[in-house]
Amino acid sequence: MTVLCKRTQTLLKEYKERDKSNVFRDKRFGEYNSSISPEEKMMKRFALEQQRQHEKKSIYNLNEDEELTHYGQSLADIEKHNDIVDSDSDTEGRGALSAELTATHFGGGSGPVPGKAAQQPSGGEEPPKSRRELIEELIARSKQEKRERQAQREDALELTEKLDQDWKEIQALLACKTPKSESGGGKEKPKPDAYDMMVRELGFEMKAQPSNRMKTEEELAREEQERLRRLEAERLRRMLGRDEDAHSKRPKHLSADDLNDGFVLDTDDRRLLSYKDGKMNVEEEPSGDSSGGDSGEEEEEKGEGWSEGGPEDSDSPDGHSDLESDADSEDARSADGLVGRESDGVEVRAQLQGDQRPSPGERLPRDDRAAARAQLPYTFAVPESCEELKSLLSGKSMEDQLLVVERIQKCNHPSLAVGNKAKLEKLFGFLLEYIGDLAVSDPPDLGVIDKLVVPLYDLCQMFPESASDAVKFVLRDAMHEMEGTVETTGRAAFPGLDVLIYLKIAGMLFPTSDFWHPVITPALLCLSQLLTKCPVRSLQDAVKGLFVCCVFLDYVALSQRFIPELINFLAGILHMATPNKQSQGYTLVHPFRALGKNSELLLVSDEEDMATWQRRSLPLQWAGGLKAQTETEANHTRLSCLALCLALVRRCVLAYGTLPSFHDIARPLRALLTEHLATRCCPPTLQELSRSVLTEMENQPRHYRPLVCEKSKPVPLKLFTPRLVKVLEFGRKQGSTREEQERRRLIHKHKREFKGAVREIRKDNQFLARMRLSEIMERDAERKRKVKQLFNSLATQEGEWKALKRKKFKK
């Protein structure tokens, strides 16, 4: 309790004054001087006070005088007449001014001083006025002066108005002014500087106008859905070869004052009337004969296409534009009944060719109907299976396939219906399967695959979990198939082009720089398994392996991971293109062999084929299956594979050249490149590329020391000298010198004081924390009290306002 009181008096006081900079200083004379007695202190303080009162505040102020007194009273206070009593008082003899004071203030002070009022004879002089009468007289005089000033102000205002009226009368006479040149001014107006011009431009600058708010994704999707429904209804109407239905037009409301004069004559159906031999003759239209042959056929089509009612003229000038109207909404509802699909997407304006429009009794031309029938629908439902998706996309061009997939996504946006999310998640798997079918087709349609990656990426961004599950499922099937092949035959072959494209797409859809990713990490393992377990037995396998190397480098481009399987595969490809297998300075690792059937698969010995070869990119179609090639084409393919391998080696050198382990693993690459340059078994272009790769490898700095054996301390020989061990008695202080004992005592005291200081600091911190908490609770309580008081006052005001309103309503 005592310690807490001490903290309250010391630590709490410092805490409360932590933000205050003012300090009280005791400047009393001799307060802290014990050699002076209290009587001397009081005398000296009184003397200093008197001296401070009588001394001038400023030595340069000549008007500052000492205060004059009379009988202990200040003359300034006496002149204020505070002791004069009101004359209205009932007390006799009080409130009357003395004769001396009256004569001094009101008598002019020049005559003799009169005596008392009772001793003077009453003559014609007026009695002296009291203070109140004087004040009232002063007030009356000030009011009179104020009225005089007001009268003067009104007179001045009247004169000013009269002057203004006279000026208006003579202003017309001064309207004709002489030109500036004749006036003789001769002063030219100064040209505005850059600042003035900028200020004027800013003054005339257009101000920002408020714009409409940005629409949400759900609102945009809903608008696109309505547009596509309307466009699909228009397409179906044109496909059936008819104009807008008569029953689709809703009757418009006509007011009683409507004169019905808003109609427009679309065609001039007037006829020329003439008489011949006393009979009336009406001239027919020139196109009547030409169209008469098809009248029966058109009537037949009309009977088939229309069940009841007939076409009606459109309000729009062309009749085929996709406008928002009641008829369009009715057509959209009818289109939903015919097609049965939910729609949403981008707006595509579809118009018929030509500017002519059929009259209210005619059908659309056959060419327009055929064009509308051949046009893609605007609304699509999400396919329930991959076969349904193939039926929608098969037989269409690349642009049409992309348009169909895009409209499927837009028409079934997740914000439009509850089940659209699950449908679009299935669509991602269907698109993957469709891409695999395109990859294994003969020839593979790589252009469509490249374009379909965009909708795949959009779906992956919308549903990342389902997309990752679909990609993992595809890769898992491929790996299970390869493991089954290894278990049965003991070796595995490179997968088809579909699996390779899946691996490439996975790197485009998901981030490859993560330390661990649920899709990319299994894909990296799959790529490493392909490079270590699949032997190269044909040119097709070589192309597939190089494609896997390219995908591998794309995966690790950002993370800069070192892949030893990649270096080993590139070394094996270079080994297959090397003629001299005897002088090897390296060792090959599985799946490559130093000698064997396919050890010279990429070796080219024909000099004519080397001379005619030109470096170009390696087509990915060759990974799907090589057609029958001549020997020259096969040699060109081998040289292209070798060029691609050297380019990959250069990328590896630039990416991993500074790593300590790269130079040890890249020794086979250096030996193979040196062998290629020595034997000159490749074209000059490849030799130059090999030389540049070797130069890059030599120029890479090495930031490590060579490996050496660790230096260990030599083991000493065993000696027979006994080893003396000091036995310590724990619990008792051992004998030592006085200095050591003092040192131990000081160390023990330091530890004890240190622990005590730490303990006190902790207690101080706890005390301050409690104080802060109490302050916070007090502030919160005060805030709650004020908020409650405000709410109560507002409730009272609201009740009073409602009562007043109710009272007014009753009145």
Side-chain angles (χ1 to χ4, degrees):
M1 188 66 183
T2 306
V3 177
L4 182 60
C5 295
K6 288 183 178 180
R7 287 195 176 92
T8 305
Q9 296 174 0
T10 57
L11 187 59
L12 182 59
K13 186 176 180 180
E14 294 179 0
Y15 175 73
K16 290 181 178 180
E17 297 178 356
R18 63 189 183 278
D19 296 329
K20 297 181 180 180
S21 58
N22 51 349
V23 179
F24 291 100
R25 295 181 181 178
D26 192 357
K27 294 185 177 181
R28 291 177 296 178
F29 177 80
E31 181 65 23
Y32 301 101
N33 192 354
S34 60
S35 61
I36 304 176
S37 63
E39 291 79 6
E40 294 179 356
K41 291 181 182 179
M42 296 300 295
M43 293 297 294
K44 186 64 177 177
R45 288 177 184 176
F46 180 75
L48 290 175
E49 185 177 358
Q50 293 296 325
Q51 183 179 0
R52 190 182 302 112
Q53 290 181 358
H54 290 286
E55 66 182 3
K56 289 186 177 182
K57 296 181 179 178
S58 177
I59 60 176
Y60 302 103
N61 191 358
L62 302 179
N63 296 326
E64 183 179 358
D65 298 330
E66 295 182 1
E67 184 178 6
L68 301 179
T69 60
H70 179 68
Y71 288 102
Q73 296 182 1
S74 176
L75 294 181
D77 295 339
I78 295 175
E79 290 179 355
K80 293 181 180 179
H81 307 290
N82 293 329
D83 56 344
I84 298 176
V85 184
D86 192 1
S87 61
D88 296 339
S89 176
D90 297 337
T91 306
E92 296 181 359
R94 297 187 62 183
L97 297 177
S98 63
E100 295 82 1
L101 185 61
T102 304
T104 302
H105 290 280
F106 303 102
S110 58
V113 178
K116 294 183 180 180
Q119 299 175 2
Q120 293 183 358
S122 59
E125 298 181 358
E126 296 181 359
K129 297 181 181 180
S130 63
R131 179 178 178 84
R132 183 171 184 177
E133 292 175 352
L134 293 174
I135 292 175
E136 290 177 355
E137 184 180 353
L138 179 63
I139 293 173
R141 191 182 305 112
S142 64
K143 289 183 178 180
Q144 183 179 0
E145 293 177 357
K146 185 176 181 181
R147 284 193 296 268
E148 291 177 358
R149 287 195 300 269
Q150 181 68 20
Q152 292 178 2
R153 191 180 302 108
E154 292 177 356
D155 295 340
L157 183 60
E158 291 178 0
L159 293 176
T160 304
E161 292 179 355
K162 184 178 180 181
L163 183 61
D164 293 341
Q165 188 68 22
D166 296 342
W167 168 253
K168 290 181 181 178
E169 293 178 358
I170 66 175
Q171 189 177 8
L173 301 177
L174 301 177
C176 183
K177 297 181 180 179
T178 58
K180 293 183 178 179
S181 60
E182 298 178 1
S183 62
K187 295 182 180 180
E188 297 182 356
K189 188 176 181 180
K191 296 182 179 181
D193 55 359
Y195 176 76
D196 295 336
M197 295 176 63
M198 183 179 296
V199 170
R200 294 178 182 177
E201 290 178 358
L202 292 176
F204 289 103
E205 189 178 11
M206 183 179 294
K207 304 298 187 294
Q209 298 294 334
S211 59
N212 297 330
R213 68 175 183 86
M214 296 183 64
K215 298 182 180 179
T216 61
E217 185 178 358
E218 291 77 8
E219 293 176 350
L220 293 175
R222 195 174 297 108
E223 289 181 1
E224 297 298 336
Q225 181 187 31
E226 295 299 330
R227 289 196 185 103
L228 280 184
R229 284 182 176 177
R230 185 173 62 254
L231 293 174
E232 179 65 14
E234 287 287 329
R235 188 190 69 84
L236 290 175
R237 181 178 57 79
R238 293 194 301 270
M239 185 179 67
L240 295 176
R242 57 188 178 184
D243 204 355
E244 296 182 2
D245 296 340
H247 62 273
S248 65
K249 284 286 186 178
R250 294 182 179 179
K252 297 182 179 179
H253 173 70
L254 297 179
S255 64
D257 300 331
D258 193 0
L259 300 178
N260 198 13
D261 55 352
F263 64 93
V264 178
L265 293 176
D266 295 330
T267 58
D268 188 7
D269 54 355
R270 293 178 296 177
R271 302 290 187 270
L272 181 61
L273 178 63
S274 62
Y275 291 89
K276 185 177 183 182
D277 298 335
K279 296 181 180 179
M280 185 176 59
N281 184 19
V282 180
E283 184 178 355
E284 300 292 337
E285 290 185 350
S287 60
D289 299 336
S290 61
S291 61
D294 299 334
S295 60
E297 187 175 346
E298 289 180 2
E299 292 296 333
E300 184 178 353
E301 293 177 359
K302 189 182 299 182
E304 295 176 0
W306 297 83
S307 58
E308 58 180 1
E312 183 177 329
D313 193 10
S314 175
D315 293 337
S316 59
D318 55 357
H320 305 299
S321 60
D322 305 325
L323 300 176
E324 294 183 0
S325 62
D326 295 337
D328 293 338
S329 60
E330 293 292 335
D331 290 338
R333 284 191 285 271
S334 62
D336 293 339
L338 292 173
V339 184
R341 299 167 180 154
E342 298 175 358
S343 60
D344 179 31
V346 296
E347 177 181 2
V348 179
R349 295 288 181 182
Q351 297 183 352
L352 295 178
Q353 298 178 355
D355 298 332
Q356 296 182 356
R357 184 169 60 109
S359 59
E362 298 178 359
R363 301 177 61 117
L364 295 176
R366 290 187 174 182
D367 296 339
D368 297 339
R369 283 182 284 166
R373 190 175 289 107
Q375 192 179 7
L376 281 176
Y378 289 96
T379 58
F380 289 93
V382 180
E384 298 295 335
S385 62
C386 184
E387 288 74 13
E388 187 176 350
L389 178 63
K390 293 177 185 177
S391 64
L392 287 176
L393 301 181
S394 61
K396 294 182 176 61
S397 62
M398 180 173 60
E399 291 78 8
D400 291 345
Q401 293 185 29
L402 292 177
L403 189 58
V404 168
V405 175
E406 184 179 4
R407 288 180 179 176
I408 289 175
Q409 289 181 259
K410 297 294 183 179
C411 295
N412 300 272
H413 196 270
S415 61
L416 298 177
V418 179
N420 288 349
K421 180 179 179 182
K423 294 179 181 179
L424 291 181
E425 289 178 354
K426 293 180 181 179
L427 180 62
F428 184 87
F430 297 157
L431 284 176
L432 276 182
E433 188 174 352
Y434 179 69
I435 288 175
D437 295 340
L438 292 178
V440 297
S441 61
D442 190 17
D445 199 348
L446 299 179
V448 178
I449 295 175
D450 185 29
K451 297 296 182 181
L452 287 178
V453 174
V454 178
L456 274 179
Y457 182 80
D458 296 337
L459 291 174
C460 181
Q461 294 299 314
M462 295 174 64
F463 318 107
E465 295 182 0
S466 59
S468 61
D469 293 340
V471 176
K472 284 192 293 184
F473 179 77
V474 173
L475 297 180
R476 191 184 301 112
D477 287 347
M479 293 305 298
H480 285 339
E481 184 178 355
M482 187 178 68
E483 291 176 359
T485 305
V486 172
E487 291 179 359
T488 55
T489 61
R491 58 185 179 180
F494 279 96
L497 185 58
D498 53 347
V499 178
L500 301 181
I501 290 179
Y502 288 152
L503 292 171
K504 177 67 176 179
I505 291 176
M508 299 171 67
L509 299 182
F510 303 100
T512 58
S513 60
D514 294 353
F515 182 76
W516 183 88
H517 193 272
V519 178
I520 298 301
T521 302
L524 288 173
L525 294 177
C526 181
L527 291 173
S528 62
Q529 293 292 326
L530 293 178
L531 294 181
T532 54
K533 293 186 177 180
C534 299
V536 179
R537 293 176 294 181
S538 62
L539 284 177
Q540 182 180 356
D541 293 342
V543 174
K544 291 181 180 179
L546 292 174
F547 178 76
V548 171
C549 293
C550 293
V551 175
F552 225 143
L553 285 177
D554 292 340
Y555 272 49
V556 299
L558 296 176
S559 59
Q560 296 293 328
R561 296 179 181 175
F562 181 69
I563 310 299
E565 296 89 350
L566 177 63
I567 305 299
N568 177 59
F569 188 86
L570 295 178
I573 294 295
L574 290 177
H575 174 78
M576 289 183 176
T578 305
N580 189 7
K581 303 290 194 300
Q582 302 300 327
S583 58
Q584 296 182 6
Y586 53 88
T587 303
L588 293 179
V589 187
H590 185 78
F592 296 98
R593 296 181 181 179
L595 300 174
K597 179 180 178 181
N598 300 318
S599 60
E600 297 182 355
L601 180 63
L602 301 180
L603 181 61
V604 179
S605 57
D606 194 346
E607 296 182 357
E608 295 181 0
D609 295 342
M610 293 183 186
T612 57
W613 174 77
Q614 294 181 356
R615 185 180 179 182
R616 57 190 180 93
S617 60
L618 198 61
L620 189 58
Q621 287 86 351
W622 291 358
L626 289 174
K627 297 181 179 180
Q629 292 181 334
T630 61
E631 187 65 25
T632 302
E633 293 176 351
N635 289 335
H636 287 176
T637 304
R638 294 185 179 93
L639 293 175
S640 299
C641 292
L642 183 58
L644 179 58
C645 180
L646 292 175
L648 293 176
V649 171
R650 185 174 184 178
R651 286 183 60 183
C652 294
V653 171
L654 294 177
Y656 310 120
T658 57
L659 297 179
S661 58
F662 176 77
H663 293 277
D664 297 333
I665 299 178
R667 288 177 184 175
L669 294 177
R670 188 181 293 104
L672 288 168
L673 291 175
T674 306
E675 185 68 24
H676 272 280
L677 291 176
T679 56
R680 299 180 181 274
C681 61
C682 55
T685 305
L686 295 182
Q687 292 183 6
E688 183 65 25
L689 184 58
S690 301
R691 191 175 295 105
S692 64
V693 173
L694 280 176
T695 305
E696 291 286 346
M697 294 177 69
E698 295 297 333
N699 293 337
Q700 291 295 331
R702 301 186 180 185
H703 303 285
Y704 65 95
R705 296 179 180 179
L707 298 177
V708 294
C709 295
E710 184 181 0
K711 294 182 179 180
S712 59
K713 188 176 181 180
V715 180
L717 298 177
K718 293 182 179 181
L719 302 178
F720 295 100
T721 305
R723 183 176 60 182
L724 301 177
V725 180
K726 184 178 181 181
V727 179
L728 301 178
E729 297 180 3
F730 295 97
R732 295 181 60 186
K733 295 183 179 181
Q734 305 297 323
S736 57
T737 60
R738 185 175 181 179
E739 289 79 5
E740 291 181 358
Q741 291 179 359
E742 184 67 20
R743 182 174 176 275
R744 290 176 184 176
R745 187 182 63 81
L746 291 176
I747 291 175
H748 177 69
K749 185 177 180 181
H750 173 266
K751 288 182 179 180
R752 184 177 59 190
E753 294 295 334
F754 181 77
K755 291 180 180 180
V758 170
R759 183 168 57 252
E760 292 298 326
I761 290 174
R762 289 175 180 173
K763 290 182 180 180
D764 292 344
N765 292 335
Q766 293 175 1
F767 176 77
L768 292 176
R770 289 195 298 270
M771 293 297 105
R772 295 191 189 98
L773 181 60
S774 62
E775 290 180 359
I776 294 173
M777 293 178 68
E778 289 178 0
R779 288 198 302 268
D780 293 346
E782 182 67 18
R783 181 180 60 82
K784 290 180 180 179
R785 186 187 63 79
K786 290 182 179 180
V787 169
K788 187 175 180 181
Q789 184 178 359
L790 289 175
F791 274 111
N792 293 335
S793 63
L794 290 175
T796 305
Q797 293 178 8
E798 184 179 4
E800 293 176 356
W801 180 80
K802 288 183 178 179
L804 181 61
K805 186 176 181 182
R806 195 180 302 110
K807 186 176 180 181
K808 289 182 178 180
F809 180 74
K810 289 181 179 180
K811 289 182 179 180

